[in-house]
Amino acid sequence: MAHDDRELVERLRAGDWTALDVLYSRYSVPVFQRCWRVLRTREASWDATCDTFASFLVHLPAQPREWLLRTSTQLAQARRGAR
């Protein structure tokens, strides 16, 4: 799947927004779950999930799974600390 992920990132870099749909459907639940473990509220976890994907679009890392999971944890921890 990592190969497919890299291909999807390349397609996204080329302007193919359908690639984002695939990546979001593939990773939104695991990202939300990471955020939930830290934040324990649905609203804050969805906000952190959205922030994670917004940041993903800025960076477009070659290995999205690892990046998304690591970043979602960091963003959720920062949100928790800001409360």
Side-chain angles (χ1 to χ4, degrees):
M1 187 177 314
H3 176 71
D4 293 334
D5 286 351
R6 284 188 210 109
E7 180 183 322
L8 289 166
V9 170
E10 288 305 316
R11 285 176 37 202
L12 191 52
R13 285 180 180 153
D16 181 358
W17 288 96
T18 62
L20 179 60
D21 293 339
V22 175
L23 288 166
Y24 186 83
S25 66
R26 190 175 287 174
Y27 295 117
S28 62
V29 171
V31 166
F32 175 83
Q33 290 170 337
R34 286 277 178 111
C35 295
W36 173 261
R37 284 186 207 124
V38 175
L39 298 167
R40 294 293 183 189
T41 70
R42 184 180 305 237
E43 183 177 336
S45 298
W46 277 121
D47 286 347
T49 298
C50 290
D51 290 347
T52 300
F53 277 91
S55 183
F56 170 76
L57 286 173
V58 171
H59 293 92
L60 291 177
Q63 297 180 337
R65 180 183 184 280
E66 292 81 9
W67 190 94
L68 286 164
L69 295 177
R70 183 180 63 251
T71 301
S72 63
T73 300
Q74 292 168 346
L75 288 173
Q77 289 170 341
R79 266 183 192 271
R80 183 181 64 197
R83 287 195 219 172

